[in-house]
PDB file of all heavy atoms in Angstrom:
ATOM      1  N   PHE E  87       0.438 -69.223 -95.408  1.00  0.00           N
ATOM      2  CA  PHE E  87       0.827 -69.765 -94.107  1.00  0.00           C
ATOM      3  C   PHE E  87       1.302 -68.642 -93.176  1.00  0.00           C
ATOM      4  O   PHE E  87       0.975 -68.638 -91.989  1.00  0.00           O
ATOM      5  CB  PHE E  87       1.909 -70.839 -94.263  1.00  0.00           C
ATOM      6  CG  PHE E  87       2.313 -71.457 -92.954  1.00  0.00           C
ATOM      7  CD1 PHE E  87       1.407 -72.174 -92.199  1.00  0.00           C
ATOM      8  CD2 PHE E  87       3.598 -71.295 -92.479  1.00  0.00           C
ATOM      9  CE1 PHE E  87       1.770 -72.726 -90.979  1.00  0.00           C
ATOM     10  CE2 PHE E  87       3.980 -71.842 -91.261  1.00  0.00           C
ATOM     11  CZ  PHE E  87       3.057 -72.561 -90.506  1.00  0.00           C
ATOM     12  N   GLN E 100      -3.583 -62.638 -76.959  1.00  0.00           N
ATOM     13  CA  GLN E 100      -4.669 -62.072 -76.160  1.00  0.00           C
ATOM     14  C   GLN E 100      -4.905 -62.869 -74.873  1.00  0.00           C
ATOM     15  O   GLN E 100      -5.579 -62.394 -73.964  1.00  0.00           O
ATOM     16  CB  GLN E 100      -5.975 -62.026 -76.973  1.00  0.00           C
ATOM     17  CG  GLN E 100      -5.867 -61.271 -78.282  1.00  0.00           C
ATOM     18  CD  GLN E 100      -5.379 -59.849 -78.106  1.00  0.00           C
ATOM     19  OE1 GLN E 100      -6.002 -59.049 -77.422  1.00  0.00           O
ATOM     20  NE2 GLN E 100      -4.241 -59.542 -78.711  1.00  0.00           N
ATOM     21  N   LEU E 104       2.856 -63.988 -75.446  1.00  0.00           N
ATOM     22  CA  LEU E 104       3.230 -64.601 -76.723  1.00  0.00           C
ATOM     23  C   LEU E 104       4.685 -65.026 -76.749  1.00  0.00           C
ATOM     24  O   LEU E 104       5.012 -66.089 -77.268  1.00  0.00           O
ATOM     25  CB  LEU E 104       2.924 -63.643 -77.884  1.00  0.00           C
ATOM     26  CG  LEU E 104       3.151 -64.188 -79.288  1.00  0.00           C
ATOM     27  CD1 LEU E 104       2.341 -65.461 -79.532  1.00  0.00           C
ATOM     28  CD2 LEU E 104       2.816 -63.126 -80.321  1.00  0.00           C
TER      29      LEU E 104
END
Side-chain angles (χ1 to χ4, degrees):
F87 182 63
Q100 304 304 300
L104 185 57

